[in-house]
Amino acid sequence: MTLSQTAPRHHVIIGTGIAGSSAAEELRDRDPDSRITIITLSRLPFYHRHLLPQVFRDVDDWRTFQAYPPAHYRDRRITLRRDTRVARVDAPNRLIHLAHKETVRYDMLVVATGGRSYLPEGLVEFFPLLHSFGSFKEALATRQALPDGGRVVMLGGDMIGLNLARTLVDTGHQVTLVSGEHTFWPHQVSEEQRPLLLAALADLGIEVIDGEKRGGIAGIELGASGLPARRVVFGDGSSQHGDVVMPFFGLVSSVDFMAGAGPDIERGLLVKTNLRTTDEHIFAAGNVCQVWTDADRCYRFYYGSRNVSNMGTLAARNMTGDSEQFEASAEDEQLILDAEGRIHSPFWE
Amino acid sequence: MSATDIQIAICGSAGDGTIAAGNILRNAVAEAGYRVISFDVYPPEIRGFGKCISRLRVTTEQVYSLKECSDVFLSLDDSHAIPHVGEVRDYGAVIFDSKPVVVNEEGAHISAHVRPGQIPYGFPFREISEIATGANRSRNIAALAVIAGLYRLPQAAFRRTIETTFGKKAKAVIAANLAAFDAGYAAGSDTFKLDDATFGSSGGKASGAGTVVILNGNAAVARGLIDAGIDTFFGYPITPATTIMERLAIEMPKRGKRLVQTEDEISAIAACVGAGYTGSRSATSTSGPGLALMMEVLGLSTIAEVPCVVVVSQRGGPSTGMPTKTEQSDLNAALYGSHGDSKRIVIAPTNVEGCYRCAGKAFEMAERYQTPVIVLLDLYLSNRYETVILAREAPFDRDCTKRWRKTDHDEVYKRFAQSKDDVSPRAIPGDAEGMHVITGLEHNELSRPNDQPEMHTEMSRKRHDKLDAALTHPDFTVSKRFGDDGRVDVGLLAWGSTFGETLEAMIKAQAEGIRCAAMKVVMLSPFPAAAVSGFMDDCRHVLVPELNYEGQFARLVQAELARPVVSLARVPGGPMRVEEILAEIRRLAGRTSVGATPATN
């Protein structure tokens, strides 16, 4: 028996969101003797991003959002490597090259880096004038920029943004939604359903502007002296002032570091229904991957916390001997408008 | 003003500029008005090898020791820093180089060892320096500046400190370091802070009571000797006492005083005693190995009743031992070293301000009681920096000699004349008709050799009894009690540098509801038996923490008072851990854990 055969297996997970954390938990249960390492660019351990709107309820300590106390990682023997950027993955040699020139060898790898906010190309040049909301840091920065009772102009309006919009209205702020094709992302909304849903948003106190009817967003400017800090200018020449302007156009996979690594990539890492990539030692889970669906004969993304968590758990099981197939949670797909005109979405639960 | 209590540790390899960065940080925060305690640990090798750690505790209130855990940790060399990551508390910060030059094997980068509760901050120190200055030599300054920026420490205080630190170098060097500082500061201040270490307002320098200065123990000793009017100094370099001589070598010539580096410690003490005989205020400094060499001449000083001051900074022993590690294991040598019954005064300061006072007071005592005085420091105290408030007027009597003056035409000068206080009036060379001979031989009142049993007995008594007056020496704290009044569960008896940790442990124990008191014993010989015994009367248990293996002070207490004590003797090479003392207090108080109530019968 060689040394390598006696050494414990090293499971490496890149990403410390819901999928990555679920995978780590499952791996620890199923492979007690293994080494488990989570690598993440974040300085924080896994925390609940969906709770970030609470910063507007004067919750400003990130520890309120953390999923586990520090002792959890120690007790579960999960090594958490934060503030660590993956430069590239050398799949043939099962090596991860970190940006600080350290090399990490793995036996099995889970890529669970999730997604980052998508910004339409036409808005990229205005990025410095926008307030993103993908991290605790960004959430606090937004709160600091928004005066009491101030106005948020929300562009796009995906479900992450609409969840925030509800809190903003509840906390006495004004929200103007510039709707468009990304409104209600990732839910697929029919043409018939759309006006009803927008009306439901208006009932919640959210002002809705149809961005497409105004000729699209032409630009974003600083507000003039004495007026709110930002001005969104539309194609028809009209404009909307706000104290902050926030883009919510859905997510794109954070998969740049996997380019050239070996596994197939389209918009995300392509995985079979067992979540294995085209490399037998690499799995993917969560918003970073497109999963093959036999029914649709295509690869597609699955969103929602239940789907993402299930993917992490399933990847861990299949890495450790099982051969289960991913089945999406129907609940995570559904956007329901009930008889009383209220919206129900897994993103709001 | 919110209270600040932040401990920062900087760890690197010799040559990384670790200690230099620590010095700048210390001086800058002190300039900004904070109180400071700092201690550097460095290797015996000169360069290129061992580990250096600079630890700095920054506060707005008076504290007495470094903390068990650091709040902020900066790595300049991961290979040395990794074993120390665990000393950072949860939600404290670990700051490191995110773009090191070398290619690391798995686990060789510190980010692999940051614990889940700690907050990692990676910064490209080298790159910051290179972009700002064109070279990487200011990497340590860039790293230091990251801390300053991250915690919004006053930029101007750092810039002034850097200008002062590099003041004797070329302008380009100063400019480069300032540029590296500015770049690092910007990187730090642009970073979203996630750890919970926070600096409150310093409140500014409180200087009403005197001059606020930052000194380490050795610098305080040197200043005390100068302020007390040192005339001559003879010494031979030895770690950790060398910087006393270095500082005096700069300052004494400016004042028309003389310092001689002798060929060894024997010459140093011999010259010191010789100068003392002439009436010069004379001192030497050394460490344990040097003290061993001085023993014979110390005996001469005792029998000839010639004043001299010996400053001893202890290090790990025996022999060469551990030159750069602290220990309190030369107590027995200081008390009992030399042959014959050679009792002398031994005083041990417990903090940096005490180093200043003890050094100056040592001259007073040496002169007044005509005896050698040993001032006993250790490496931890010698190298520890503290914010000190010095009185504007030096609190030392410049002339304590009991001088002989001929009053009767027929009077014959008796150098060792009997007197009520057992201190004989002293003539120094040149005094009219005060001519006498001094030798190492036992003598009579006229200083003529005499080995009769009655004479030896009487002179021995004289040499011992005269020292008792030192226990009431003017304006000198021989011992002092802290903590709860009256009856206590645990009393702590401590001396030297360990008293700081002892006091911190006592305060923590009190916070846990344990009745606790502490006594610092500054004068170790003659032993303040009445004061210590009185203290022990109030204590259900007496704990004696000290940094030696044998429990030398505990044995001294038992020998002097024949009363039981609990010895906590450790030789870690560094300061005593507050937690270790606290754990023993809890045990003695019947507390099995924090917050537990005492066991009752």
Side-chain angles (χ1 to χ4, degrees):
Chain A
M1 184 175 284
T2 65
L3 182 63
S4 63
Q5 287 171 310
T6 61
R9 284 156 59 89
H10 189 197
H11 303 299
V12 177
I13 300 157
I14 304 176
T16 184
I18 296 172
S21 296
S22 300
E25 294 298 313
E26 188 71 9
L27 283 168
R28 176 48 71 226
D29 288 341
R30 291 175 62 90
D31 196 354
D33 297 329
S34 64
R35 286 174 61 206
I36 299 174
T37 301
I38 300 176
I39 299 172
T40 174
L41 194 54
S42 171
R43 289 193 168 120
L44 296 181
F46 173 40
Y47 66 100
H48 296 299
R49 285 178 169 78
H50 69 281
L51 298 178
L52 284 177
Q54 288 188 12
V55 300
F56 290 99
R57 300 188 192 277
D58 294 329
V59 178
D60 57 5
D61 188 336
W62 65 266
R63 287 173 287 199
T64 308
F65 305 122
Q66 68 179 341
Y68 307 115
H72 175 83
Y73 297 96
R74 288 194 284 265
D75 295 344
R76 300 283 283 171
R77 291 180 292 113
I78 296 170
T79 301
L80 188 58
R81 303 201 52 173
R82 290 159 294 150
D83 202 5
T84 300
R85 181 182 294 277
V86 173
R88 66 186 176 90
V89 173
D90 177 359
N93 293 305
R94 281 187 268 165
L95 294 174
I96 299 168
H97 295 279
L98 303 177
H100 59 253
K101 301 188 180 72
E102 183 184 351
T103 303
V104 176
R105 181 175 295 279
Y106 64 86
D107 292 302
M108 298 295 281
L109 173 65
V110 184
V111 179
T113 42
R116 54 185 160 78
S117 297
Y118 168 66
L119 193 62
E121 195 173 337
L123 293 179
V124 170
E125 65 179 293
F126 305 112
F127 180 75
L129 298 175
L130 300 171
H131 281 83
S132 300
F133 203 76
S135 67
F136 176 70
K137 173 185 175 181
E138 291 171 342
L140 269 194
T142 305
R143 192 187 75 177
Q144 285 163 6
L146 186 62
D148 288 345
R151 179 177 295 279
V152 173
V153 179
M154 192 169 282
L155 310 180
D158 61 28
M159 291 308 297
I160 299 166
L162 294 179
N163 184 36
L164 169 65
R166 289 197 312 170
T167 302
L168 288 169
V169 170
D170 285 350
T171 53
H173 299 93
Q174 303 170 72
V175 178
T176 300
L177 169 66
V178 180
S179 67
E181 61 175 316
H182 294 92
T183 306
F184 303 113
W185 179 98
H187 296 297
Q188 303 291 322
V189 176
S190 67
E191 287 303 313
E192 298 75 31
Q193 200 180 15
R194 185 179 178 82
L196 299 174
L197 289 166
L198 292 174
L201 291 178
D203 289 344
L204 288 171
I206 299 169
E207 181 188 15
V208 180
I209 293 174
D210 188 332
E212 289 170 7
K213 280 187 179 171
R214 293 203 179 185
I217 300 166
I220 301 167
E221 302 172 352
L222 288 172
S225 176
L227 293 172
R230 301 284 186 273
R231 187 167 79 108
V232 179
V233 181
F234 297 100
D236 65 0
S238 63
S239 65
Q240 173 65 51
H241 279 93
D243 297 292
V244 298
V245 179
M246 306 182 73
F248 285 100
F249 294 99
L251 303 174
V252 290
S253 300
S254 297
V255 75
D256 304 4
F257 64 94
M258 290 297 291
D264 289 348
I265 300 173
E266 191 186 78
R267 285 176 292 157
L269 277 168
L270 301 182
V271 295
K272 300 166 196 159
T273 49
N274 62 3
L275 303 185
R276 192 188 296 266
T277 68
T278 47
D279 182 293
E280 63 174 327
H281 297 105
I282 302 177
F283 285 71
N287 299 340
V288 75
C289 65
Q290 294 170 260
V291 185
W292 175 257
T293 55
D294 287 330
D296 299 334
R297 306 297 297 166
C298 70
Y299 291 95
R300 57 158 294 190
F301 289 100
Y302 291 91
Y303 300 98
S305 60
R306 272 178 291 257
N307 275 330
V308 170
S309 177
N310 289 343
M311 278 194 259
T313 303
L314 184 72
R317 287 179 185 159
N318 289 343
M319 286 163 64
T320 49
D322 279 7
S323 185
E324 297 181 21
Q325 312 302 308
F326 174 69
E327 290 180 15
S329 158
E331 293 175 50
D332 268 12
E333 302 281 298
Q334 292 175 340
L335 179 65
I336 297 169
L337 189 65
D338 68 18
E340 295 171 352
R342 288 187 303 229
I343 295 173
H344 297 273
S345 163
F347 287 85
W348 285 17
E349 305 304 326
Chain B
M1 183 179 76
S2 60
T4 295
D5 188 358
I6 304 290
Q7 182 162 301
I8 301 170
I10 304 174
C11 183
S13 182
D16 279 336
T18 310
I19 303 299
N23 288 346
I24 291 171
L25 179 60
R26 179 189 64 238
N27 292 337
V29 295
E31 157 115 10
Y34 293 99
R35 286 175 175 270
V36 174
I37 288 184
S38 75
F39 180 60
D40 300 335
V41 178
Y42 48 84
E45 301 85 355
I46 301 300
R47 184 186 165 90
F49 292 100
K51 179 191 303 180
C52 296
I53 308 179
S54 180
R55 291 189 180 88
L56 175 80
R57 184 175 180 184
V58 185
T59 63
T60 43
E61 308 296 332
Q62 172 75 55
V63 292
Y64 306 97
S65 70
L66 292 172
K67 293 197 286 187
E68 186 91 359
C69 292
S70 292
D71 303 282
V72 180
F73 183 85
L74 168 64
S75 169
L76 293 175
D77 183 309
D78 290 356
S79 66
H80 289 310
I82 284 169
H84 294 275
V85 171
E87 73 180 52
V88 182
R89 64 171 174 78
D90 273 356
Y91 307 116
V94 179
I95 303 171
F96 51 82
D97 197 332
S98 59
K99 289 189 176 177
V101 169
V102 292
V103 176
N104 292 309
E105 292 299 314
E106 184 181 350
H109 191 263
I110 196 169
S111 62
H113 303 271
V114 177
R115 300 184 178 189
Q118 300 164 340
I119 305 299
Y121 294 101
F123 290 90
F125 302 142
R126 187 176 302 274
E127 189 175 281
I128 291 171
S129 172
E130 285 174 344
I131 291 171
T133 72
N136 63 28
R137 269 174 292 190
S138 299
R139 174 176 171 267
N140 63 331
I141 301 297
L144 171 69
V146 163
I147 293 177
L150 190 58
Y151 297 98
R152 299 293 197 277
L153 292 168
Q155 205 165 355
F158 279 84
R159 290 180 62 86
R160 280 195 295 273
T161 304
I162 289 169
E163 286 170 345
T164 304
T165 301
F166 297 102
K168 291 182 179 174
K169 299 194 182 262
K171 285 183 179 176
V173 174
I174 299 173
N177 280 291
L178 287 174
F181 176 81
D182 290 343
Y185 193 95
S189 58
D190 285 348
T191 298
F192 186 64
K193 189 171 149 318
L194 292 160
D195 63 284
D196 62 3
T198 305
F199 283 79
S201 167
S202 69
K205 289 184 180 179
S207 57
T211 307
V212 181
V213 291
I214 294 290
L215 294 173
N216 67 14
N218 280 357
V221 163
R223 188 151 177 176
L225 294 174
I226 289 169
D227 285 357
I230 186 172
D231 296 305
T232 51
F233 182 95
F234 306 89
Y236 186 78
I238 182 169
T239 301
T242 303
T243 54
I244 296 172
M245 188 164 76
E246 287 178 347
R247 188 166 284 248
L248 290 173
I250 296 168
E251 297 298 329
M252 288 179 68
K254 293 178 188 172
R255 294 165 170 79
K257 310 295 184 181
R258 303 295 296 273
L259 179 144
V260 177
Q261 179 176 327
T262 55
E263 67 267 36
D264 59 25
E265 288 88 345
I266 298 173
S267 295
I269 186 69
C272 188
V273 173
Y277 174 65
T278 70
S280 165
R281 279 199 161 176
S282 189
T284 183
S285 64
T286 189
S287 185
L291 178 64
L293 295 173
M294 292 180 176
M295 289 304 182
E296 184 187 0
V297 181
L298 270 174
L300 172 64
S301 174
T302 298
I303 198 167
E305 302 193 42
V306 173
C308 78
V309 170
V310 182
V311 181
V312 179
S313 181
Q314 303 163 91
R315 66 191 207 187
S319 189
T320 306
M322 303 189 292
T324 59
K325 299 289 182 282
T326 199
E327 210 160 274
Q328 293 178 290
S329 52
D330 293 333
L331 176 59
N332 284 344
L335 292 172
Y336 310 121
S338 195
H339 48 284
D341 293 315
S342 51
K343 188 171 182 177
R344 60 187 72 109
I345 293 176
V346 179
I347 53 178
T350 59
N351 55 27
V352 172
E353 193 270 344
C355 291
Y356 172 79
R357 292 188 66 81
C358 282
K361 288 291 177 182
F363 274 136
E364 290 183 8
M365 293 179 196
E367 276 182 2
R368 178 162 295 183
Y369 312 112
Q370 299 179 15
T371 183
V373 176
I374 292 179
V375 182
L376 199 54
L377 282 69
D378 59 59
L379 182 143
Y380 176 38
L381 194 48
S382 284
N383 290 359
R384 185 167 99 193
Y385 282 84
E386 290 179 23
T387 305
V388 176
I389 302 174
L390 297 180
R392 299 193 197 284
E393 294 291 328
F396 306 124
D397 187 341
R398 291 273 187 138
D399 186 3
C400 298
T401 303
K402 186 178 182 181
R403 201 71 177 266
W404 177 77
R405 295 277 186 253
K406 187 168 183 175
T407 55
D408 183 343
H409 182 268
D410 296 327
E411 182 183 359
V412 175
Y413 177 54
K414 295 178 180 177
R415 170 63 188 95
F416 299 108
Q418 294 294 347
S419 66
K420 192 175 177 183
D421 62 0
D422 294 313
V423 178
S424 307
R426 184 174 166 223
I428 62 172
D431 284 352
E433 301 189 53
M435 191 167 65
H436 60 283
V437 173
I438 287 289
T439 73
L441 289 167
E442 184 59 287
H443 44 250
N444 61 15
E445 287 185 288
L446 292 166
S447 190
R448 291 178 184 146
N450 187 322
D451 61 0
Q452 292 301 305
E454 296 80 8
M455 186 59 67
H456 181 50
T457 301
E458 179 54 25
M459 285 297 170
S460 294
R461 185 203 61 74
K462 174 181 185 293
R463 288 191 291 265
H464 281 72
D465 287 358
K466 69 176 180 179
L467 300 184
D468 289 345
L471 290 168
T472 53
H473 189 84
D475 194 25
F476 186 78
T477 302
V478 168
S479 61
K480 187 174 181 180
R481 176 174 174 158
F482 297 79
D484 291 326
D485 294 327
R487 187 84 182 147
V488 296
D489 291 324
V490 182
L492 301 153
L493 265 181
W495 68 283
S497 66
T498 302
F499 183 72
E501 281 67 29
T502 302
L503 199 55
E504 291 273 343
M506 182 205 78
I507 292 167
K508 287 177 185 283
Q510 286 180 306
E512 293 177 13
I514 298 173
R515 283 195 59 76
C516 200
M519 173 172 270
K520 71 172 178 181
V521 183
V522 180
M523 184 163 286
L524 304 168
S525 173
F527 187 74
V532 175
S533 186
F535 173 71
M536 291 174 73
D537 286 344
D538 281 347
C539 306
R540 192 157 66 94
H541 301 282
V542 174
L543 178 65
V544 183
E546 57 187 318
L547 292 171
N548 55 62
Y549 186 77
E550 297 172 341
Q552 295 180 14
F553 183 61
R555 291 184 184 208
L556 172 65
V557 174
Q558 288 173 318
E560 291 281 347
L561 302 175
R563 298 178 67 164
V565 300
V566 178
S567 173
L568 182 63
R570 297 286 185 271
V571 282
M576 180 79 79
R577 291 175 53 235
V578 172
E579 280 300 320
E580 194 162 7
I581 302 172
L582 184 57
E584 196 63 11
I585 295 172
R586 289 189 192 119
R587 187 186 70 78
L588 292 172
R591 303 289 179 97
T592 52
S593 61
V594 177
T597 53
T600 54
N601 292 324

